[in-house]
Amino acid sequence: MADAINYKGNSPCRPYCGDPALTATPSWGTLRKRPDSRGVVSRFLKGQGMDNSLTTSARWRQGLGAAWPICLGYLPLGIALGVLARQAGIDPLGIGLMSLLVFAGSAQFIAVAMLAAGASVGAIVLATLVVNIRHLLMSSALAVYLRGVGPGFLALFAYGITDESFAVNMTRFRSGDWDRWRALIVNQAANAAWVLSTVAGAFLGELIPAGAFGIDYALIGMFLCLLVFQLRGAFHLFTALVAGALSVACYLAVPGDSYVVVAAVAAASAGFLLQRHKRRGRR
Amino acid sequence: MSMAFADYLFLLAAMGAVTYLPRWLPVFLLSRRPLPSWLIDWLDLIPVAVLAALLAPALLADSAPRALNLGKPELLVAVPTLLFALKTRSLGGTVLLGMFLYWLTGIVL
């Protein structure tokens, strides 16, 4: 299994090379004629219209091979959320439905806490929006690798864009050996793990000892390694350091969850400007 | 929970909608037109920025109440985990090593 997830994340690659169908830049005409928008799910299950160099089982194996650290990391989080939901008077069906319809970890924790405190629907929805606005950034970055893909696929794919699936899929797309179907498997496997672990937490959470097997470190470990994959030179290192410092500063100074968006936008802009400045200087 | 099931479903639908929209809108709008090269360059730095922004508070700060803490076991474990990731570039191995070391600190410290 280790071999399947051992790869170099830093090979130079142009965008869209993961999906041969997209290597030619589609014009507006061909965009409309692509049959993508119809029957995404059935085509996915039948394996039609994909990169034919991969068998269906290889696609699933690789997709699930990329997804398992996410699933592992979701287990303690989901169980913890299930326990809290139960304490807030939400039954296993209720929390399972929330995981299915919302699928956003931190927003769900906040929602459960607000429900327990008797907050209004409007306040909970507003908090959810604020917490999840950061996905605008991730969705934008993923769009670079999903050029010319039909709206049906995008509608399904967008549902599964989380911090974790974004980080895993971006690293794989960047390495060149990745396509949107395997990326979709990552999204949906993570979703399944999330729904199941929250429901499991609601049913039997109190039986599982907190912090078993160091599992609370799974997502931090995954983010650390993905960060290493993303460090592809001085500008990326600079951006990471600025983002980390700003994020901690915002986290300490401003209540709420704006620190991720604020720090990421500011740091990426700083890195971008530095890159521009240096490139201009070279000319 | 004092809420009726229908009200709860309405809450979930509204939460789902405001979560889905920021996930869907950029990928829908940006994937159907050529992006200017400066935007691609900027977006190229977004993953590393997001990852660092997510990680730094988890390693360097307490959550309740929020305070700087340079002595967290999370940070201590991050050092060998990061070195292992640099050396092996194995995602699964890094996750398992991090978990093992974190479990160890729970026993030792």
Side-chain angles (χ1 to χ4, degrees):
Chain A
M1 194 165 193
D3 283 343
I5 48 168
N6 234 324
Y7 63 98
K8 300 282 177 190
N10 60 350
S11 60
C13 171
R14 301 300 308 156
Y16 354 109
C17 56
D19 193 337
L22 298 177
T23 27
T25 311
S27 70
W28 274 99
T30 54
L31 258 182
R32 271 196 214 101
K33 273 175 206 145
R34 281 177 69 91
D36 260 347
S37 53
R38 285 183 300 275
V40 170
V41 174
S42 74
R43 289 175 63 246
F44 177 58
L45 293 175
K46 288 177 197 154
Q48 291 168 349
M50 299 172 190
D51 175 3
N52 290 327
S53 65
L54 271 182
T55 62
T56 306
S57 73
R59 188 171 293 115
W60 277 96
R61 209 169 50 241
Q62 292 178 15
L64 295 176
W68 75 263
I70 304 179
C71 302
L72 198 62
Y74 278 178
L75 206 61
L77 285 178
I79 287 172
L81 180 65
V83 171
L84 289 175
R86 207 60 201 272
Q87 288 165 0
I90 304 169
D91 58 18
L93 173 69
I95 192 65
L97 275 175
M98 187 197 275
S99 297
L100 200 63
L101 289 173
V102 184
F103 188 29
S106 34
Q108 287 181 242
F109 272 98
I110 293 168
V112 166
M114 289 179 83
L115 276 171
S120 71
V121 167
I124 296 173
V125 172
L126 187 65
T128 305
L129 175 67
V130 170
V131 172
N132 289 329
I133 210 83
R134 69 183 186 284
H135 294 131
L136 280 173
L137 281 181
M138 302 177 198
S139 178
S140 306
L142 280 162
V144 174
Y145 295 96
L146 296 167
R147 287 274 306 278
V149 172
F153 182 93
L154 292 178
L156 186 60
F157 187 84
Y159 164 75
I161 297 176
T162 60
D163 299 352
E164 294 78 20
S165 71
F166 162 76
V168 165
N169 281 326
M170 280 304 282
T171 307
R172 296 283 178 144
F173 273 130
R174 180 25 92 167
S175 78
D177 179 32
W178 207 237
D179 61 61
R180 59 202 165 99
W181 297 101
R182 280 175 283 178
L184 183 64
I185 291 173
V186 170
N187 287 8
Q188 294 310 120
N191 180 239
W194 179 245
V195 175
L196 288 177
S197 54
T198 51
V199 172
F203 271 120
L204 42 87
E206 270 123 8
L207 304 175
I208 300 165
F213 316 116
I215 203 168
D216 292 338
Y217 207 76
L219 286 182
I220 294 181
M222 189 182 84
F223 284 147
L224 278 171
C225 190
L226 292 172
L227 182 67
V228 166
F229 289 160
Q230 292 289 339
L231 292 176
R232 299 187 310 272
F235 297 119
H236 288 78
L237 183 62
F238 171 79
T239 305
L241 291 174
V242 173
L246 279 177
S247 178
V248 172
C250 289
Y251 183 78
L252 297 175
V254 187
D257 291 273
S258 61
Y259 60 95
V260 176
V261 177
V262 171
V265 167
S269 304
F272 171 76
L273 291 175
L274 183 71
Q275 202 169 18
R276 276 226 151 164
H277 181 71
K278 292 272 173 186
R279 278 182 187 164
R280 276 214 188 118
R282 229 180 281 149
R283 264 179 225 150
Chain B
M1 189 178 55
S2 55
M3 202 176 251
F5 193 67
D7 293 339
Y8 181 68
L9 274 185
F10 173 76
L11 170 71
L12 294 190
M15 282 176 70
V18 298
T19 303
Y20 184 74
L21 218 63
R23 284 174 172 168
W24 171 76
L25 215 60
V27 88
F28 178 73
L29 293 176
L30 298 182
S31 65
R32 45 185 43 226
R33 64 200 67 194
L35 301 183
S37 68
W38 64 264
L39 184 57
I40 292 180
D41 285 348
W42 186 78
L43 289 174
D44 185 53
L45 292 168
I46 285 295
V48 76
V50 168
L51 282 168
L54 284 169
L55 265 172
L59 298 179
L60 299 167
D62 292 329
S63 56
R66 290 184 178 186
L68 193 67
N69 181 355
L70 300 179
K72 287 180 83 177
E74 281 84 352
L75 183 63
L76 186 70
V77 171
V79 177
T81 307
L82 201 66
L83 291 175
F84 181 85
L86 277 166
K87 184 90 190 133
T88 65
R89 308 193 75 88
S90 158
L91 183 60
T94 305
V95 170
L96 294 179
L97 179 78
M99 283 170 56
F100 173 70
L101 293 176
Y102 191 66
W103 174 76
L104 268 188
T105 61
I107 291 174
V108 175
L109 299 180

